[in-house]
Amino acid sequence: MKQTVPAFALLLTLAACGGASTDQAKTEEKKEAAVTGGAAYTIDTATTTVQWRATHKGGFAPRFGTIKVADGSLNVENGAVTGGSFDVNLTTLVADPASVTEPDKKASDLEGHLKSPDFFDVAKYPSAKFVITSVAPFDSTKQKSLLPGATNLISGNLTLKDSTLNITFPAQIVVAESGVTANAKFVIDRSSWGINYKTEGSPENWMISKDVEIGFSLKAAKK
């Protein structure tokens, strides 16, 4: 079927599978940041990765790639993460060439499109930010998650462009004396942050799924 919009007219945001196999993040209004205590752990930006994936309507023409974390830290008290934050450098957004298969399209075209005012406008908004507002244990007898080995529910304020909303998603967190590792994969609705192609009701925007998958594999070392 002939596509009515360029295949590279896709979205990120700020992580690789479709919404049907990934937890949908609960989205609410902005909340107060967690009051932190305990030891500080610095996020290792060289080994921490953020992944993104987006598709056209119906899951067609998936596009995916990565974004680098600029800086951040976590707080640990009594063997548990209590708070923290990290910044994502949207100017480092990369589209995996394996996701751009059309002979007349290039990954660099997609990257430029996503970084333009059509989507993230990175010249004006070069970073996204996540600030933890709460960390709770994950109870598999009362809660369900598609993330294997989920240990916690993380809530935090996600800022994209000039909008901040609170999201909650399952994560797998391991705390050791030497460091912290955390993994998560979840889906957000890009339109909740006002990220639309052209206008919200335009045919071009309709052709792109509102669901964007974000994933992260985070490592932090004790200061």
Side-chain angles (χ1 to χ4, degrees):
M1 183 176 68
K2 186 177 180 181
Q3 294 176 335
T4 59
V5 297
F8 58 81
L10 275 178
L11 183 277
L12 162 198
T13 42
L14 255 138
C17 294
S21 60
T22 306
D23 292 303
Q24 188 82 33
K26 180 181 179 181
T27 304
E28 302 174 284
E29 293 300 311
K30 178 181 177 181
K31 297 183 179 181
E32 290 296 320
V35 177
T36 59
Y41 287 66
T42 301
I43 291 176
D44 184 345
T45 58
T47 57
T48 293
T49 59
V50 174
Q51 307 90 35
W52 61 267
R53 186 181 189 274
T55 70
H56 281 88
K57 281 287 187 185
F60 295 104
R63 299 290 194 263
F64 48 86
T66 60
I67 315 172
K68 293 182 179 180
V69 172
D71 56 45
S73 64
L74 298 175
N75 287 83
V76 175
E77 191 170 16
N78 297 323
V81 172
T82 57
S85 66
F86 59 87
D87 293 308
V88 178
N89 184 355
L90 293 177
T91 68
T92 67
L93 183 150
V94 172
D96 191 323
S99 72
V100 184
T101 57
E102 296 84 351
D104 59 335
K105 302 294 187 298
K106 295 184 295 185
S108 58
D109 294 332
L110 173 58
E111 291 168 11
H113 191 48
L114 293 175
K115 292 176 182 179
S116 77
D118 286 340
F119 289 103
F120 293 103
D121 195 2
V122 300
K124 186 176 181 181
Y125 306 102
S127 65
K129 190 175 186 67
F130 184 74
V131 179
I132 294 174
T133 57
S134 69
V135 182
F138 180 84
D139 187 346
S140 61
T141 65
K142 299 178 180 179
Q143 301 155 322
K144 293 183 179 180
S145 173
L146 296 170
L147 178 72
T151 59
N152 295 87
L153 280 177
I154 297 178
S155 294
N157 294 326
L158 175 62
T159 300
L160 294 171
K161 298 179 80 169
D162 55 1
S163 297
T164 301
L165 293 171
N166 192 270
I167 58 175
T168 301
F169 53 87
Q172 182 188 57
I173 302 176
V174 177
V175 177
E177 180 62 27
S178 59
V180 177
T181 60
N183 297 281
K185 187 182 290 185
F186 52 90
V187 172
I188 62 171
D189 180 343
R190 61 178 170 83
S191 65
S192 296
W193 284 262
I195 299 175
N196 297 294
Y197 181 40
K198 295 188 182 295
T199 61
E200 184 175 0
S202 70
E204 294 90 345
N205 188 60
W206 183 88
M207 284 291 292
I208 306 168
S209 175
K210 291 183 178 182
D211 284 344
V212 178
E213 182 182 285
I214 304 293
F216 62 78
S217 177
L218 183 152
K219 295 183 180 181
K222 195 171 185 179
K223 290 184 179 180

